[in-house]
């Protein structure tokens, strides 16, 4: 690949598209987030492992375009090792900024990635709350 942006994409987007990080699914995940965009048809799943409220493992699967793959890859890198509250603060703009920008028509992909992460954290917290309630009952 040449050393210049391709079709309006930054080198960083192309790197995460061509060499995505943390692809797959965390086995026996503590939290699972699954989101989709009915307009473009993209689907994204993020799975997390949590220890002492810190994300210790995170993986993604996506059915979507190159931007969806790149943003999911980037969100996993941004969230790895973060406290859940810090990870919840990751926004779609953070994802796009770390990728050195996305074409305007692809910004929805960064929204999907952040939303899938937030859904996984919410799922984890709901499961933990339910488990704690069962233990005290």
């Amino acid at each position: 690949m040449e050393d210049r942006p391709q079709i309006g994409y930054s080198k960083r987007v192309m790197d995460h598209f061509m060499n995505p990080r943390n692809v797959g699914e965390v086995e026996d995940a503590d939290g699972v987030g699954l989101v989709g965009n009915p307009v473009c048809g993209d689907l994204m799943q993020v799975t997390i492992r949590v220890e002492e409220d810190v994300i210790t493992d995170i993986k993604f699967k996506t059915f979507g375009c190159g931007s969806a793959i790149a943003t999911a890859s980037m969100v996993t890198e941004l969230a790895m090792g973060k406290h859940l509250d810090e990870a919840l603060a990751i926004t779609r703009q953070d994802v796009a900024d770390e990728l050195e920008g996305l074409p305007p028509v692809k910004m929805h992909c960064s929204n999907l990635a952040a939303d899938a992460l937030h859904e996984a954290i919410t799922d984890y917290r709901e499961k933990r709350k339910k488990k704690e309630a069962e233990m005290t009952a």
Side-chain angles (χ1 to χ4, degrees):
M1 178 149 315
E2 294 181 26
D3 193 33
R4 62 182 168 82
Q6 301 293 307
I7 316 169
Y9 292 102
S10 71
K11 290 179 193 175
R12 198 115 190 241
V13 169
M14 293 304 295
D15 179 43
H16 276 270
F17 167 62
M18 300 297 287
N19 307 292
R21 283 66 149 180
N22 305 306
V23 176
E25 191 169 348
V26 174
E27 193 173 321
D28 297 320
D30 295 318
V32 178
L34 180 63
V35 297
N37 182 322
V39 175
C40 70
D42 288 354
L43 289 172
M44 194 172 296
Q45 175 183 283
V46 170
T47 53
I48 57 173
R49 165 99 43 246
V50 180
E51 294 175 20
E52 297 181 18
D53 283 346
V54 173
I55 296 173
T56 58
D57 196 9
I58 182 168
K59 295 195 183 309
F60 81 91
K61 288 183 177 180
T62 191
F63 180 80
C65 65
S67 293
I69 293 166
T71 57
S73 174
M74 178 53 76
V75 87
T76 66
E77 286 204 327
L78 291 172
M80 182 72 81
K82 294 243 186 330
H83 187 278
L84 294 174
D85 292 335
E86 290 177 289
L88 271 174
I90 295 170
T91 66
R92 67 182 187 176
Q93 192 61 52
D94 294 332
V95 176
D97 289 348
E98 287 295 321
L99 287 169
E100 299 168 353
L102 286 169
V105 297
K106 294 297 182 176
M107 280 300 289
H108 68 278
C109 294
S110 61
N111 197 18
L112 276 180
D115 287 352
L117 170 63
H118 299 164
E119 288 288 327
I121 293 168
T122 299
D123 180 56
Y124 164 73
R125 286 184 164 167
E126 287 174 357
K127 287 177 183 173
R128 184 179 68 182
K129 190 175 182 180
K130 183 178 177 184
K131 189 175 182 180
E132 288 171 354
E134 288 172 355
M135 292 176 71
T136 59

